[in-house]
Amino acid sequence: MIKILKNKQGNAALYAIVVALCLILLFTVISEYFRLQMIASGVRDALQSSVIAIATENYDEVYNGLREGYSGGYQRNETGSWEERVDSGAVFMKLSNKLGLINGTKYSGGYLEYRLYDLDVQINNAPFATRDNDNRFESEAWVTLLVPLSFGWEHLPPMKIRLKVNAGYSPKF
């Protein structure tokens, strides 16, 4: 190896090709990393927007008939007691409309770009008539994102992450 490095015949073409291939490989890996980051960020933002829309749709249940400072979704029933009243909405439908999904899958140029599945939505209602304002009405959503890699010629496993977002109301008083 040292003999090859000390060779001064001027044959640097092989070294230039190796360096160029290494740089191309490095650029490809960095590009794939940024592609995955952009897809995950876009899906997270769309999911956040969908969850905010559901929390906003619960506005009439959240403040209906309650005194100032309470932000829970409660309503009086026929017997005169209070019962929880919240609506989980159609988060996946809103998410599919925002991202242009077909059965939870996004295609680009005939190829699978990413897939969303296992959507869980949880509505955390604020406790009824609390003395502190630390608790709030909150919507949380989790979804699994699966993105096949375009680097590695299908020898590498796809990126699979669980995204979580939340939105909620905080009482002002």
Side-chain angles (χ1 to χ4, degrees):
M1 185 72 169
I2 294 177
K3 194 179 216 184
I4 293 172
L5 291 174
K6 288 184 177 184
N7 186 357
K8 298 188 183 201
Q9 293 179 356
N11 296 332
L14 182 62
Y15 298 121
I17 291 171
V18 169
V19 169
L21 287 176
C22 288
L23 289 175
I24 289 172
L25 184 65
L26 181 64
F27 176 74
T28 306
V29 169
I30 291 171
S31 297
E32 181 67 11
Y33 173 76
F34 284 129
R35 182 184 80 88
L36 295 174
Q37 288 284 52
M38 287 187 332
I39 289 173
S41 176
V43 169
R44 187 190 68 240
D45 291 346
L47 182 61
Q48 178 76 32
S49 176
S50 300
V51 170
I52 288 172
I54 296 304
T56 303
E57 289 172 4
N58 273 303
Y59 178 79
D60 59 337
E61 280 92 12
V62 171
Y63 291 104
N64 187 20
L66 297 177
R67 299 190 61 125
E68 65 277 347
Y70 303 151
S71 65
Y74 296 95
Q75 186 175 14
R76 291 182 69 94
N77 60 16
E78 297 84 27
T79 63
S81 62
W82 292 95
E83 66 182 17
E84 249 184 315
R85 182 174 178 212
V86 292
D87 180 21
S88 62
V91 174
F92 200 75
M93 184 183 73
K94 290 181 185 306
L95 186 61
S96 293
N97 290 340
K98 287 181 189 302
L99 295 175
L101 302 177
I102 300 169
N103 295 328
T105 306
K106 174 77 172 189
Y107 292 97
S108 177
Y111 295 102
L112 174 68
E113 187 173 347
Y114 58 86
R115 181 179 309 141
L116 300 175
Y117 58 95
D118 288 341
L119 175 70
D120 295 321
V121 178
Q122 181 179 358
I123 308 278
N124 300 324
N125 206 359
F128 186 66
T130 65
R131 292 202 183 277
D132 62 353
N133 287 341
D134 294 337
N135 298 322
R136 66 181 189 154
F137 178 85
E138 192 172 63
S139 301
E140 295 178 333
W142 297 268
V143 71
T144 302
L145 171 65
L146 180 83
V147 183
L149 300 178
S150 63
F151 177 78
W153 302 278
E154 297 184 11
H155 294 289
L156 298 174
M159 178 185 81
K160 181 179 175 183
I161 58 172
R162 188 89 170 139
L163 299 172
K164 178 190 175 194
V165 298
N166 62 3
Y169 292 112
S170 295
K172 284 189 162 189
F173 304 103

